[in-house]
Amino acid sequence: MVAQRTATSELLRSLRTLTVTAYHPADEDGEELLSQLRRIGCRAQAFWPPAQCLPERTDVVFIAVGPDTILPDWPAMRDTKSSPTMIAIVNYENPTIVDRVLKMEVDGIVASPIRPFGLLSALVVARQIRNSRTSLERQVQRLENKLAGVRHVAEAKAILMRGRNVSETDAYQIIRDQAMARRTTIEHMAYAIVSANDILFR
Amino acid sequence: MADHSPIYVGVLFSVTGDISTIETSQLKGTLFAIDEVNQAGGINGREIVPIHYDPQSSPGLYRVLAERLVLENKINVIFGCYMSSTRKAVIPIIERWNRLLFYPTLYEGFECSSNIVYTGAAPNQNSVQLAEFMTENYGERAYLVGSDYIYPYESNRIMTDLVRQRQRGEKVGERYVPLNATCEDFKDVIADIKDKQPDFIFSTVVGNSTQLLYRAYAEAGFDPRTMPIASLTTLEAEIAQMGKGVGAGHVSAAPYFQSIATPRNLESLEKFRARFGSEVVPNAGWEAAYFQVHMFAQAMQSSGSDAIDLLMPNLLGMEFDAPQGRVRIDPSNHHTCLFPRIGIANEDGQFTIVREATRAVHPDPYLIAHSLGDWTVSLKTPK
């Protein structure tokens, strides 16, 4: 209830609930990263070297990307449902390193040596990018499903119009009634008709 | 052979311009402490010599003068700044040359430079306590008025979040006036307040124009008993500027008020007046400016050098018996554990302390969502 009445964005308010995993060597930079994350109020832990699997139950992952870091293939393991925000820490800006960062599909970047100033903004903006990426990906998935459904309905209607010699409106009505009777969606019913047709008549 | 050369330190407080009154008090607090240290034999027998420049309340000049202190005067340590905009102007210089700034002013938080020690209050050491007191005693509808710069914006965001945690809490208005606001600027605000009838007004107006807001309020015939102005920046120095009785009844939150009745405080006030007269009015900014010099001196006593890398390890975690109580520099964020208090201004231009912390409250400069009823920061009514 309080959250809706606040003047402050949820991305900022949620900072203190974040679990952060930092893959960074245990050096001065790593220390600075951890203490600033803790000042911000995140639950932060550091590990080195990076794990081969994406860590579970973590909201944000920082990863130091150096010239000789062996990087895990995280992008392949990501799933759209619960993918952590990923931020790279770089101490070189040459094309080799930037290219490695691009392959990691990160949401943000922090320059080394790490300074307390700037980390909070980088963190919040990266989270915003990740959130909108995730919701866009989900939306695309939904639309793709929808589109496939529409295609199946059109095909099923054509099959019925040919097979039972009915109008388009009647064909649609038949699919709808069948879907209702079987308590399923029209798209699903249409898919069943199309599949059955494929098996029976092709 | 013992080193008897003087230790030069930089001092950047404005004695002219829009924020001259408060910064003059911080300047005198600084000089007073330097005096005390020197009288007691200096730092390991070395005298502290302040080099003071007047930045005339202009952020650009703070930057230029900080650079002059570093490059021409070879200064390692600077005491100074009131407004956030001036601190931000000095930061690039001290970070670039790796020098140390002692900043004796409350501010809006969200900073932790490795080159700064912050001795004023963070929002969890004053805003929360003030919101709690105001909404409990006067009502939940707040009107916000502030000077037009970053500290008021962020302070008002926090206050808005806090009052909205109350059931009927709401922000009924929010206005900003220029730093050098005139009577004219406040006329509009006062008319709007009359119209909106809030339960209290939260003022983040700073500097010399503060008095104009309170005077305009008094002239409008408002009653501080039912609709007071609450503030974190209206302290004894600003009250004194208003003229007799104008500030009475209004509420402020700060870690220090002159009226703290401890022998430690009374003694420093007496010594200060004997040395500097009663023209400069001690307040929370003055007190922070005072104790931070003593903490610097103590740290340097151990380190023997005023280079930041040697000084900082001694400063972090250091405790000191300040006039407000025993303060401590928090090693994790460079801010200071302080004693929040709520005061109501009285007819004598002093604050009657109505609530105070029983132990020091830890600074939490990165706290975004403050909450009312947080027992770690709550205050007690003094006996």
PDB file of all heavy atoms in Angstrom, chain B residues 158-182:
ATOM      1  N   ILE B 158      12.327  12.912   0.435  1.00  0.00           N
ATOM      2  CA  ILE B 158      12.316  12.080   1.640  1.00  0.00           C
ATOM      3  C   ILE B 158      11.119  12.444   2.517  1.00  0.00           C
ATOM      4  O   ILE B 158      10.390  11.576   2.994  1.00  0.00           O
ATOM      5  CB  ILE B 158      13.634  12.264   2.427  1.00  0.00           C
ATOM      6  CG1 ILE B 158      14.800  11.722   1.616  1.00  0.00           C
ATOM      7  CG2 ILE B 158      13.546  11.598   3.789  1.00  0.00           C
ATOM      8  CD1 ILE B 158      16.163  12.075   2.159  1.00  0.00           C
ATOM      9  N   MET B 159      10.897  13.751   2.707  1.00  0.00           N
ATOM     10  CA  MET B 159       9.788  14.186   3.561  1.00  0.00           C
ATOM     11  C   MET B 159       8.444  13.729   2.980  1.00  0.00           C
ATOM     12  O   MET B 159       7.566  13.276   3.708  1.00  0.00           O
ATOM     13  CB  MET B 159       9.840  15.720   3.704  1.00  0.00           C
ATOM     14  CG  MET B 159       8.865  16.309   4.685  1.00  0.00           C
ATOM     15  SD  MET B 159       8.889  15.587   6.358  1.00  0.00           S
ATOM     16  CE  MET B 159      10.372  16.289   7.057  1.00  0.00           C
ATOM     17  N   THR B 160       8.304  13.830   1.664  1.00  0.00           N
ATOM     18  CA  THR B 160       7.062  13.407   1.018  1.00  0.00           C
ATOM     19  C   THR B 160       6.813  11.918   1.263  1.00  0.00           C
ATOM     20  O   THR B 160       5.724  11.500   1.646  1.00  0.00           O
ATOM     21  CB  THR B 160       7.138  13.662  -0.507  1.00  0.00           C
ATOM     22  OG1 THR B 160       7.526  15.018  -0.708  1.00  0.00           O
ATOM     23  CG2 THR B 160       5.804  13.423  -1.181  1.00  0.00           C
ATOM     24  N   ASP B 161       7.855  11.111   1.056  1.00  0.00           N
ATOM     25  CA  ASP B 161       7.736   9.674   1.311  1.00  0.00           C
ATOM     26  C   ASP B 161       7.331   9.412   2.752  1.00  0.00           C
ATOM     27  O   ASP B 161       6.516   8.532   3.025  1.00  0.00           O
ATOM     28  CB  ASP B 161       9.078   8.980   1.050  1.00  0.00           C
ATOM     29  CG  ASP B 161       9.183   8.466  -0.373  1.00  0.00           C
ATOM     30  OD1 ASP B 161       8.227   8.675  -1.142  1.00  0.00           O
ATOM     31  OD2 ASP B 161      10.215   7.869  -0.716  1.00  0.00           O
ATOM     32  N   LEU B 162       7.927  10.167   3.668  1.00  0.00           N
ATOM     33  CA  LEU B 162       7.664   9.937   5.094  1.00  0.00           C
ATOM     34  C   LEU B 162       6.235  10.300   5.483  1.00  0.00           C
ATOM     35  O   LEU B 162       5.549   9.518   6.132  1.00  0.00           O
ATOM     36  CB  LEU B 162       8.664  10.716   5.955  1.00  0.00           C
ATOM     37  CG  LEU B 162      10.070  10.107   6.020  1.00  0.00           C
ATOM     38  CD1 LEU B 162      11.054  11.076   6.646  1.00  0.00           C
ATOM     39  CD2 LEU B 162      10.065   8.804   6.800  1.00  0.00           C
ATOM     40  N   VAL B 163       5.754  11.486   5.085  1.00  0.00           N
ATOM     41  CA  VAL B 163       4.389  11.859   5.499  1.00  0.00           C
ATOM     42  C   VAL B 163       3.359  10.931   4.859  1.00  0.00           C
ATOM     43  O   VAL B 163       2.328  10.642   5.442  1.00  0.00           O
ATOM     44  CB  VAL B 163       4.022  13.341   5.220  1.00  0.00           C
ATOM     45  CG1 VAL B 163       4.896  14.282   6.013  1.00  0.00           C
ATOM     46  CG2 VAL B 163       4.052  13.671   3.751  1.00  0.00           C
ATOM     47  N   ARG B 164       3.688  10.423   3.672  1.00  0.00           N
ATOM     48  CA  ARG B 164       2.732   9.538   3.002  1.00  0.00           C
ATOM     49  C   ARG B 164       2.610   8.178   3.679  1.00  0.00           C
ATOM     50  O   ARG B 164       1.737   7.398   3.341  1.00  0.00           O
ATOM     51  CB  ARG B 164       3.113   9.363   1.533  1.00  0.00           C
ATOM     52  CG  ARG B 164       2.712  10.574   0.724  1.00  0.00           C
ATOM     53  CD  ARG B 164       3.002  10.354  -0.732  1.00  0.00           C
ATOM     54  NE  ARG B 164       2.666  11.542  -1.504  1.00  0.00           N
ATOM     55  CZ  ARG B 164       3.048  11.721  -2.765  1.00  0.00           C
ATOM     56  NH1 ARG B 164       3.748  10.792  -3.370  1.00  0.00           N
ATOM     57  NH2 ARG B 164       2.727  12.817  -3.410  1.00  0.00           N
ATOM     58  N   GLN B 165       3.518   7.911   4.610  1.00  0.00           N
ATOM     59  CA  GLN B 165       3.376   6.661   5.366  1.00  0.00           C
ATOM     60  C   GLN B 165       2.274   6.777   6.411  1.00  0.00           C
ATOM     61  O   GLN B 165       1.833   5.786   6.966  1.00  0.00           O
ATOM     62  CB  GLN B 165       4.704   6.304   6.040  1.00  0.00           C
ATOM     63  CG  GLN B 165       5.733   5.841   5.029  1.00  0.00           C
ATOM     64  CD  GLN B 165       7.086   5.581   5.646  1.00  0.00           C
ATOM     65  OE1 GLN B 165       7.207   5.337   6.834  1.00  0.00           O
ATOM     66  NE2 GLN B 165       8.117   5.652   4.828  1.00  0.00           N
ATOM     67  N   ARG B 166       1.853   8.006   6.699  1.00  0.00           N
ATOM     68  CA  ARG B 166       0.719   8.194   7.609  1.00  0.00           C
ATOM     69  C   ARG B 166      -0.559   8.009   6.816  1.00  0.00           C
ATOM     70  O   ARG B 166      -0.609   8.280   5.610  1.00  0.00           O
ATOM     71  CB  ARG B 166       0.746   9.614   8.207  1.00  0.00           C
ATOM     72  CG  ARG B 166       1.953   9.880   9.074  1.00  0.00           C
ATOM     73  CD  ARG B 166       1.844   9.184  10.398  1.00  0.00           C
ATOM     74  NE  ARG B 166       2.895   9.629  11.303  1.00  0.00           N
ATOM     75  CZ  ARG B 166       3.306   8.928  12.353  1.00  0.00           C
ATOM     76  NH1 ARG B 166       2.758   7.761  12.620  1.00  0.00           N
ATOM     77  NH2 ARG B 166       4.249   9.394  13.130  1.00  0.00           N
ATOM     78  N   GLN B 167      -1.616   7.638   7.544  1.00  0.00           N
ATOM     79  CA  GLN B 167      -2.856   7.304   6.863  1.00  0.00           C
ATOM     80  C   GLN B 167      -3.404   8.450   6.019  1.00  0.00           C
ATOM     81  O   GLN B 167      -3.775   8.267   4.873  1.00  0.00           O
ATOM     82  CB  GLN B 167      -3.885   6.903   7.903  1.00  0.00           C
ATOM     83  CG  GLN B 167      -4.885   5.925   7.365  1.00  0.00           C
ATOM     84  CD  GLN B 167      -5.546   5.180   8.503  1.00  0.00           C
ATOM     85  OE1 GLN B 167      -5.660   5.694   9.625  1.00  0.00           O
ATOM     86  NE2 GLN B 167      -5.982   3.981   8.221  1.00  0.00           N
ATOM     87  N   ARG B 168      -3.441   9.641   6.608  1.00  0.00           N
ATOM     88  CA  ARG B 168      -3.988  10.772   5.868  1.00  0.00           C
ATOM     89  C   ARG B 168      -2.885  11.689   5.350  1.00  0.00           C
ATOM     90  O   ARG B 168      -3.142  12.806   4.935  1.00  0.00           O
ATOM     91  CB  ARG B 168      -4.948  11.567   6.761  1.00  0.00           C
ATOM     92  CG  ARG B 168      -6.325  10.918   6.889  1.00  0.00           C
ATOM     93  CD  ARG B 168      -7.245  11.776   7.717  1.00  0.00           C
ATOM     94  NE  ARG B 168      -6.644  12.119   8.999  1.00  0.00           N
ATOM     95  CZ  ARG B 168      -6.601  11.281  10.048  1.00  0.00           C
ATOM     96  NH1 ARG B 168      -7.103  10.076   9.954  1.00  0.00           N
ATOM     97  NH2 ARG B 168      -6.036  11.652  11.174  1.00  0.00           N
ATOM     98  N   GLY B 169      -1.640  11.184   5.437  1.00  0.00           N
ATOM     99  CA  GLY B 169      -0.507  12.027   5.087  1.00  0.00           C
ATOM    100  C   GLY B 169      -0.520  12.421   3.626  1.00  0.00           C
ATOM    101  O   GLY B 169      -0.778  11.606   2.758  1.00  0.00           O
ATOM    102  N   GLU B 170      -0.266  13.697   3.361  1.00  0.00           N
ATOM    103  CA  GLU B 170      -0.118  14.115   1.964  1.00  0.00           C
ATOM    104  C   GLU B 170       0.687  15.397   1.854  1.00  0.00           C
ATOM    105  O   GLU B 170       0.842  16.139   2.814  1.00  0.00           O
ATOM    106  CB  GLU B 170      -1.492  14.296   1.300  1.00  0.00           C
ATOM    107  CG  GLU B 170      -2.352  15.362   1.941  1.00  0.00           C
ATOM    108  CD  GLU B 170      -3.618  15.624   1.135  1.00  0.00           C
ATOM    109  OE1 GLU B 170      -3.527  15.700  -0.097  1.00  0.00           O
ATOM    110  OE2 GLU B 170      -4.687  15.762   1.753  1.00  0.00           O
ATOM    111  N   LYS B 171       1.220  15.573   0.650  1.00  0.00           N
ATOM    112  CA  LYS B 171       1.930  16.803   0.340  1.00  0.00           C
ATOM    113  C   LYS B 171       0.927  17.720  -0.319  1.00  0.00           C
ATOM    114  O   LYS B 171       0.413  17.401  -1.376  1.00  0.00           O
ATOM    115  CB  LYS B 171       3.083  16.475  -0.605  1.00  0.00           C
ATOM    116  CG  LYS B 171       3.762  17.670  -1.208  1.00  0.00           C
ATOM    117  CD  LYS B 171       4.906  17.229  -2.087  1.00  0.00           C
ATOM    118  CE  LYS B 171       4.430  16.861  -3.486  1.00  0.00           C
ATOM    119  NZ  LYS B 171       5.518  16.424  -4.359  1.00  0.00           N
ATOM    120  N   VAL B 172       0.628  18.863   0.309  1.00  0.00           N
ATOM    121  CA  VAL B 172      -0.411  19.713  -0.276  1.00  0.00           C
ATOM    122  C   VAL B 172       0.176  20.799  -1.175  1.00  0.00           C
ATOM    123  O   VAL B 172      -0.547  21.472  -1.888  1.00  0.00           O
ATOM    124  CB  VAL B 172      -1.309  20.357   0.808  1.00  0.00           C
ATOM    125  CG1 VAL B 172      -2.060  19.273   1.569  1.00  0.00           C
ATOM    126  CG2 VAL B 172      -0.506  21.220   1.759  1.00  0.00           C
ATOM    127  N   GLY B 173       1.495  20.971  -1.146  1.00  0.00           N
ATOM    128  CA  GLY B 173       2.109  21.951  -2.027  1.00  0.00           C
ATOM    129  C   GLY B 173       3.616  21.829  -1.976  1.00  0.00           C
ATOM    130  O   GLY B 173       4.168  21.324  -1.000  1.00  0.00           O
ATOM    131  N   GLU B 174       4.279  22.268  -3.058  1.00  0.00           N
ATOM    132  CA  GLU B 174       5.738  22.232  -3.079  1.00  0.00           C
ATOM    133  C   GLU B 174       6.216  23.423  -3.903  1.00  0.00           C
ATOM    134  O   GLU B 174       5.863  23.542  -5.063  1.00  0.00           O
ATOM    135  CB  GLU B 174       6.229  20.908  -3.684  1.00  0.00           C
ATOM    136  CG  GLU B 174       7.728  20.757  -3.702  1.00  0.00           C
ATOM    137  CD  GLU B 174       8.184  19.332  -4.040  1.00  0.00           C
ATOM    138  OE1 GLU B 174       7.329  18.442  -4.152  1.00  0.00           O
ATOM    139  OE2 GLU B 174       9.394  19.133  -4.199  1.00  0.00           O
ATOM    140  N   ARG B 175       6.987  24.300  -3.277  1.00  0.00           N
ATOM    141  CA  ARG B 175       7.437  25.506  -3.966  1.00  0.00           C
ATOM    142  C   ARG B 175       8.930  25.719  -3.763  1.00  0.00           C
ATOM    143  O   ARG B 175       9.472  25.369  -2.727  1.00  0.00           O
ATOM    144  CB  ARG B 175       6.717  26.742  -3.386  1.00  0.00           C
ATOM    145  CG  ARG B 175       5.262  26.872  -3.782  1.00  0.00           C
ATOM    146  CD  ARG B 175       5.146  27.208  -5.266  1.00  0.00           C
ATOM    147  NE  ARG B 175       3.781  27.547  -5.605  1.00  0.00           N
ATOM    148  CZ  ARG B 175       3.301  28.802  -5.599  1.00  0.00           C
ATOM    149  NH1 ARG B 175       4.086  29.811  -5.287  1.00  0.00           N
ATOM    150  NH2 ARG B 175       2.032  29.026  -5.914  1.00  0.00           N
ATOM    151  N   TYR B 176       9.565  26.308  -4.782  1.00  0.00           N
ATOM    152  CA  TYR B 176      10.982  26.649  -4.656  1.00  0.00           C
ATOM    153  C   TYR B 176      11.213  28.122  -4.923  1.00  0.00           C
ATOM    154  O   TYR B 176      10.575  28.706  -5.798  1.00  0.00           O
ATOM    155  CB  TYR B 176      11.815  25.788  -5.610  1.00  0.00           C
ATOM    156  CG  TYR B 176      11.779  24.330  -5.212  1.00  0.00           C
ATOM    157  CD1 TYR B 176      10.861  23.456  -5.787  1.00  0.00           C
ATOM    158  CD2 TYR B 176      12.604  23.855  -4.200  1.00  0.00           C
ATOM    159  CE1 TYR B 176      10.791  22.132  -5.379  1.00  0.00           C
ATOM    160  CE2 TYR B 176      12.538  22.532  -3.788  1.00  0.00           C
ATOM    161  CZ  TYR B 176      11.635  21.683  -4.384  1.00  0.00           C
ATOM    162  OH  TYR B 176      11.560  20.380  -3.966  1.00  0.00           O
ATOM    163  N   VAL B 177      12.110  28.718  -4.142  1.00  0.00           N
ATOM    164  CA  VAL B 177      12.458  30.126  -4.326  1.00  0.00           C
ATOM    165  C   VAL B 177      13.963  30.213  -4.602  1.00  0.00           C
ATOM    166  O   VAL B 177      14.709  29.322  -4.213  1.00  0.00           O
ATOM    167  CB  VAL B 177      12.106  30.961  -3.073  1.00  0.00           C
ATOM    168  CG1 VAL B 177      10.615  30.948  -2.806  1.00  0.00           C
ATOM    169  CG2 VAL B 177      12.865  30.461  -1.849  1.00  0.00           C
ATOM    170  N   PRO B 178      14.416  31.290  -5.255  1.00  0.00           N
ATOM    171  CA  PRO B 178      15.853  31.410  -5.522  1.00  0.00           C
ATOM    172  C   PRO B 178      16.652  31.522  -4.217  1.00  0.00           C
ATOM    173  O   PRO B 178      16.105  31.907  -3.189  1.00  0.00           O
ATOM    174  CB  PRO B 178      15.972  32.716  -6.315  1.00  0.00           C
ATOM    175  CG  PRO B 178      14.592  33.120  -6.680  1.00  0.00           C
ATOM    176  CD  PRO B 178      13.639  32.399  -5.804  1.00  0.00           C
ATOM    177  N   LEU B 179      17.945  31.205  -4.296  1.00  0.00           N
ATOM    178  CA  LEU B 179      18.803  31.292  -3.110  1.00  0.00           C
ATOM    179  C   LEU B 179      18.842  32.708  -2.534  1.00  0.00           C
ATOM    180  O   LEU B 179      18.958  32.897  -1.332  1.00  0.00           O
ATOM    181  CB  LEU B 179      20.230  30.875  -3.473  1.00  0.00           C
ATOM    182  CG  LEU B 179      20.566  29.425  -3.189  1.00  0.00           C
ATOM    183  CD1 LEU B 179      21.910  29.071  -3.776  1.00  0.00           C
ATOM    184  CD2 LEU B 179      20.548  29.147  -1.692  1.00  0.00           C
ATOM    185  N   ASN B 180      18.754  33.685  -3.432  1.00  0.00           N
ATOM    186  CA  ASN B 180      18.776  35.068  -2.953  1.00  0.00           C
ATOM    187  C   ASN B 180      17.352  35.637  -2.952  1.00  0.00           C
ATOM    188  O   ASN B 180      17.127  36.776  -3.335  1.00  0.00           O
ATOM    189  CB  ASN B 180      19.697  35.924  -3.821  1.00  0.00           C
ATOM    190  CG  ASN B 180      19.306  35.863  -5.286  1.00  0.00           C
ATOM    191  OD1 ASN B 180      18.390  35.114  -5.670  1.00  0.00           O
ATOM    192  ND2 ASN B 180      19.961  36.661  -6.114  1.00  0.00           N
ATOM    193  N   ALA B 181      16.394  34.817  -2.517  1.00  0.00           N
ATOM    194  CA  ALA B 181      14.981  35.197  -2.562  1.00  0.00           C
ATOM    195  C   ALA B 181      14.726  36.504  -1.807  1.00  0.00           C
ATOM    196  O   ALA B 181      15.395  36.807  -0.825  1.00  0.00           O
ATOM    197  CB  ALA B 181      14.142  34.078  -1.972  1.00  0.00           C
ATOM    198  N   THR B 182      13.730  37.255  -2.294  1.00  0.00           N
ATOM    199  CA  THR B 182      13.347  38.496  -1.636  1.00  0.00           C
ATOM    200  C   THR B 182      11.948  38.323  -1.045  1.00  0.00           C
ATOM    201  O   THR B 182      11.315  37.290  -1.243  1.00  0.00           O
ATOM    202  CB  THR B 182      13.294  39.640  -2.669  1.00  0.00           C
ATOM    203  OG1 THR B 182      12.336  39.257  -3.677  1.00  0.00           O
ATOM    204  CG2 THR B 182      14.641  39.872  -3.316  1.00  0.00           C
TER     205      THR B 182
END
